[in-house]
C-alpha cells in the first residue's frame, strides 16, 4: 500500500494530459497546447527550483525572489540591444550566441544581487517567518523602484531572435520554435541539478542540509556558507528564467517577477517544500493545466491552478514529493 501511495503522484501528470485529450476538440490542438504547457512549466521550474531549495535548506520564506527574475530580464534587454544585428540575422548560431550571452550576464548580475540580498535583508531575520515575509516583500518593492530608476518606468520590448520566431508545422499541428527551446533548456537544467544533487559531494551535503541541518553542522561543515551558495545559485537560475520569460512574453516590466510569484509558490507547495523533483513535477502540472484550462475557459486558468493546489494538499498535505523531515 505504501508503494502504491508513493507511485500515485507520478501518475498525476499523465492523468492530466490524457484527461485533457478527452475534453479538447482535436488531437492537433492537444499536441500544440501540451508543448506550450511543457514549455511554460519548464520556465517556471527554472525560476522556482532555487527558491524551493532555499526554503528546504534554511527555512527562509523569500517573497522577494521575483526581483531576480525581473533583474535577469532587464539585464538581458540591455545586453541584447547592442546585439540587434545578431538577433535579426537569419543565423541560428549567432542567435543562440546572443541569447547565451544575455543569459550569462543575467545569471551573474542576479547571482550577485542574491548574495547582497542574503547578507543585507535575509541574514538578520533567520528563523522569523513573519518578519521574513514582510522584509523580503519590502525588498522586492524597493528593487522594483530601483529598476524604474535604472531602466525607466516603461515596459521594454524583448524580441525573439529570427531563428526562434514562428512555428514548425506538422500537418495540422503548429509548434512554436521558442517553446521547444524552452523545453530542452528546462530539461537540461533539471538533469544537471539532479546529477549535482545525487552524484556529487556538494549535492550530498545540500540534501543532508535540507533533511537534517544540525547533523551537517555537527560533522564540521558550514551550513551557512552552503546556504549562501545555494541562494546565489537559485538567484542566478531565477535570472535565467527571467530571460526566458521575457522572450516568451516579448516584453519586460519591473513587476513581472512579482506577478509570477503566485505561480511559483503554487508550484513549490504542490511539489513539496525543499524537493527539486517535486518542484519539477509541480511546474509541469501548473504549466499544462494553465494552457488546457486557458484554452477551454480563459478566465479561470489561475483559479484552476489554485484549486489544484488545494486538492493536492487535501490529499497529501506535505506535497507530492515531500522531503523526509518536513
Amino acid at each position: 500500500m505504501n508503494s502504491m501511495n508513493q507511485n500515485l503522484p507520478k501518475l498525476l501528470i499523465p492523468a492530466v494530459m490524457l484527461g485533457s485529450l478527452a475534453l479538447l476538440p482535436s488531437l492537433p490542438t492537444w499536441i500544440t497546447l501540451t508543448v506550450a504547457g511543457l514549455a511554460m512549466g519548464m520556465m517556471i521550474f527554472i525560476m522556482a527550483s532555487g527558491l524551493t531549495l532555499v526554503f528546504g535548506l534554511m527555512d527562509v520564506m523569500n517573497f522577494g525572489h521575483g526581483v531576480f527574475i525581473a533583474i535577469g530580464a532587464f539585464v538581458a534587454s540591455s545586453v541584447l540591444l547592442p546585439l540587434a544585428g545578431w538577433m535579426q540575422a537569419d543565423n541560428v548560431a549567432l542567435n543562440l550566441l546572443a541569447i547565451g550571452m544575455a543569459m550569462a550576464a543575467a545569471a551573474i548580475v542576479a547571482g550577485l544581487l542574491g548574495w547582497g540580498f542574503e547578507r543585507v535583508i535575509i541574514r538578520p531575520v533567520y528563523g522569523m517567518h513573519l518578519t521574513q515575509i514582510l522584509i523580503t516583500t519590502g525588498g522586492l518593492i524597493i528593487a522594483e523602484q530601483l529598476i524604474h530608476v535604472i531602466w525607466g518606468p516603461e515596459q521594454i520590448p524583448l524580441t525573439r531572435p529570427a531563428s526562434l520566431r514562428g512555428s514548425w508545422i506538422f500537418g495540422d499541428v503548429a509548434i512554436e520554435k521558442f517553446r521547444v527551446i524552452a523545453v530542452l533548456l528546462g530539461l537540461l537544467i533539471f538533469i544537471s541539478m539532479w546529477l549535482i544533487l545525487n552524484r556529487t559531494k556538494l549535492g550530498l551535503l545540500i540534501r543532508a542540509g535540507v533533511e537534517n541541518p544540525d547533523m551537517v553542522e555537527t560533522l564540521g561543515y558550514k551550513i551557512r556558507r552552503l546556504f549562501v551558495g545555494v541562494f546565489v545559485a537559485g538567484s542566478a537560475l531565477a535570472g535565467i528564467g527571467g530571460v526566458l520569460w521575457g522572450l516568451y512574453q516579448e516584453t519586460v516590466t519591473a513587476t513581472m517577477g512579482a506577478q509570477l510569484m503566485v505561480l511559483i509558490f503554487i508550484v513549490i507547495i504542490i511539489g513539496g517544500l525543499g524537493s527539486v523533483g517535486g518542484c519539477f513535477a509541480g511546474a509541469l502540472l501548473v504549466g499544462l493545466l494553465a494552457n488546457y484550462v486557458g484554452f477551454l475557459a480563459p478566465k479561470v486558468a489561475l483559479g484552476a491552478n489554485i484549486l489544484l493546489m488545494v486538492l493536492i494538499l487535501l490529499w497529501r498535505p506535505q506535497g507530492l514529493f515531500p522531503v523526509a523531515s518536513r
Side-chain angles (χ1 to χ4, degrees):
M1 184 63 70
N2 287 336
S3 177
M4 183 178 179
N5 289 335
Q6 290 175 358
N7 288 326
L8 277 176
K10 299 176 183 178
L11 301 176
L12 197 54
I13 294 174
V16 169
M17 294 171 69
L18 292 174
S20 65
L21 181 58
L23 298 174
L24 293 169
S26 66
L27 181 61
T29 301
W30 179 81
I31 294 174
T32 300
L33 290 174
T34 298
V35 173
L38 291 174
M40 180 179 177
M42 292 295 184
M43 287 184 278
I44 295 173
F45 165 72
I46 293 171
M47 293 181 279
S49 55
L51 183 59
T52 196
L53 270 182
V54 164
F55 182 87
L57 188 61
M58 291 302 286
D59 200 26
V60 169
M61 299 293 291
N62 180 17
F63 276 57
H65 189 73
V67 69
F68 309 125
I69 298 169
I71 286 291
F74 274 95
V75 169
S77 69
S78 297
V79 171
L80 293 177
L81 184 62
L83 297 177
W86 289 14
M87 293 285 284
Q88 295 168 8
D90 191 15
N91 185 304
V92 176
L94 279 180
N95 292 167
L96 293 180
L97 181 59
I99 296 297
M101 291 172 65
M103 286 184 176
I108 292 170
V109 174
L112 289 173
L113 179 63
W115 178 79
F117 200 86
E118 189 277 335
R119 287 185 65 87
V120 176
I121 294 179
I122 293 178
R123 187 168 293 187
V125 294
Y126 282 133
M128 298 179 282
H129 285 165
L130 179 58
T131 307
Q132 288 169 3
I133 293 171
L134 294 174
I135 199 169
T136 56
T137 301
L140 172 65
I141 295 170
I142 293 170
E144 286 178 354
Q145 298 308 308
L146 290 176
I147 288 174
H148 288 313
V149 171
I150 297 170
W151 281 281
E154 304 298 327
Q155 65 180 25
I156 297 176
L158 194 60
T159 307
R160 298 173 195 170
S163 64
L164 298 185
R165 297 174 199 158
S167 304
W168 286 303
I169 307 298
F170 304 96
D172 294 328
V173 178
I175 299 177
E176 286 191 37
K177 298 176 183 178
F178 177 76
R179 295 180 192 271
V180 175
I181 297 299
V183 170
L184 294 176
L185 183 58
L187 278 174
L188 177 63
I189 289 176
F190 172 68
I191 292 170
S192 299
M193 290 185 70
W194 186 89
L195 289 173
I196 290 171
L197 289 172
N198 293 279
R199 294 289 186 268
T200 67
K201 182 179 178 181
L202 175 62
L204 176 64
L205 289 173
I206 291 172
R207 287 187 292 116
V210 169
E211 295 189 15
N212 195 333
D214 293 333
M215 180 192 70
V216 176
E217 286 277 7
T218 303
L219 292 173
Y221 294 100
K222 301 293 184 182
I223 193 71
R224 185 63 55 80
R225 190 175 299 170
L226 185 64
F227 165 66
V228 173
V230 170
F231 195 95
V232 170
S235 304
L237 282 173
I240 293 173
V243 178
L244 284 173
W245 195 262
L247 290 168
Y248 173 67
Q249 299 284 351
E250 296 196 278
T251 55
V252 175
T253 64
T255 58
M256 61 184 288
Q259 292 166 356
L260 284 165
M261 286 305 293
V262 174
L263 285 179
I264 288 173
F265 275 112
I266 288 174
V267 163
I268 64 176
I269 290 170
I270 284 175
L273 294 169
S275 170
V276 173
C279 179
F280 183 75
L284 293 186
L285 279 171
V286 165
L288 289 168
L289 196 64
N291 278 270
Y292 294 145
V293 177
F295 178 82
L296 295 168
K299 293 184 179 180
V300 298
L302 179 59
N305 275 314
I306 294 174
L307 178 61
L308 173 68
M309 179 181 67
V310 172
L311 292 175
I312 287 177
L313 291 181
L314 288 173
W315 170 39
R316 297 174 71 88
Q318 291 184 306
L320 294 176
F321 302 97
V323 174
S325 65
R326 293 190 181 276

